[in-house]
Amino acid sequence: MSVDVGAPAPSSGSGGAPRPDRRSGSGRTLQRAEARAGLALISPTVVIVVVMVVLPILWTVLLAFQRLRLLNLRSSGLFGNFTLANFEKVFGSSAFWGNLATTLAYSVFGTAAAIGVGLVAALALRRRFRFRGLVRAAMLLPYVAPIVAVTYAWKTMLSPQFGVANHWGTRLLGWDEPIAFLSQRSSEVSVFGWHVGVPTALLTVIAFEAWRSFPFAFLFLTARLQAVPSTLEEAARVDGATLTQRFRYIVLPQLLPTIAVLSVLRFIWTFNSFDDIWLLTGGGAGTEVISVSVFNSLTARGDIGGAAAQALVLAAILAVLIGLYLWRLAPREEQS
């Protein structure tokens, strides 16, 4: 008769039944305690988001479907007579489509110019030299300076009466007369004998947007350039690659994901921009973007429902554009 010494000994419970695993119950209790602790930690954030973000959005949606004005706001309830008249007025207005085209032009060209200037500045300050840290710090001044102060400085600089831009333009550049950069809707420019109309005020606010926003792109691109392995460029230099070739085939591919993220962020912020255009031109001379139109509808005309409808349309257009980017371009960047 053989005895298996490796067999486990029977449990000493009554009737030979196995003992219950008490560790599973204590594990579930610990998980519930951790879940309650997690909910307690995130509950202040959830409350703040609901109060500051979700409720205003829901209220804006309700206002967009009601014919409300400032005069009857107090007498109207939360759920009034819902109608689509506000959206019919928005989509049937030629001014809205013109403002939308202005907003898209301002956002696209302002974003591209800001990233382009930031890229040039990051590449120019890439190599070490004396006082490089001071120059980099000075690059951040347009971004951190108060918007009211810088817009006042630009308005003074571009003034047709006493601005330094027109002073040097008429003396050195041969301008026939001073240019009202912020109040002139368009001007003719002769290019190889062809007279081309140029949107003066719109180009001026785009230049201001690029000047004010390029430090943001400069910071991101500078940080990414510092992470590029120097051995890649050294190997390309040894192989005889020119400066342009090293930038095109080595540096630029390393920067493309960062440039893509910057493009999305800057486009969103520029698309919703209000303060710089309002302080520079007040939305006049062909610079009225949709955010300025919403403000004018609310304050000048007192049309709360129309302003809310325009704001919802603006948010929907922006969501569609960002969705197209995430659907078409984001997967390609992840694969590359």
Side-chain angles (χ1 to χ4, degrees), residues 18 58 107 136 180 184 192 219 225 297:
L58 294 178
S107 303
R136 282 183 171 179
Q184 185 173 341
F192 301 109
L219 283 177
L225 282 173
S297 298

Side-chain angles (χ1 to χ4, degrees), residues 233-289:
E233 292 186 74
E234 292 177 359
R237 190 182 297 109
V238 171
D239 292 338
T242 62
L243 180 63
T244 306
Q245 291 173 336
R246 294 199 302 269
F247 171 75
R248 180 180 178 182
Y249 296 106
I250 296 178
V251 178
L252 186 59
Q254 301 285 334
L255 297 179
L256 284 180
T258 305
I259 292 176
V261 174
L262 284 173
S263 300
V264 175
L265 294 178
R266 285 305 328 161
F267 182 84
I268 293 173
W269 294 336
T270 308
F271 197 82
N272 295 317
S273 179
F274 165 79
D275 49 0
D276 50 355
I277 292 181
W278 178 257
L279 292 172
L280 285 173
T281 64
T287 62
E288 184 176 0
V289 294

Side-chain angles (χ1 to χ4, degrees), residues 133-172:
L134 182 61
V135 176
R136 282 183 171 179
M139 287 289 179
L140 304 180
L141 288 179
Y143 194 71
V144 300
I147 182 65
V148 177
V150 294
T151 51
Y152 179 77
W154 271 64
K155 292 176 70 173
T156 304
M157 179 182 66
L158 300 177
S159 172
Q161 288 81 21
F162 47 81
V164 64
N166 282 293
H167 174 76
W168 292 111
T170 54
R171 291 199 173 192
L172 298 180

Side-chain angles (χ1 to χ4, degrees), residues 296-318:
N296 289 331
S297 298
L298 182 61
T299 58
R301 295 186 291 272
D303 188 2
I304 299 178
Q310 291 186 64
L312 281 185
V313 172
L314 179 66
I317 293 173
L318 185 59

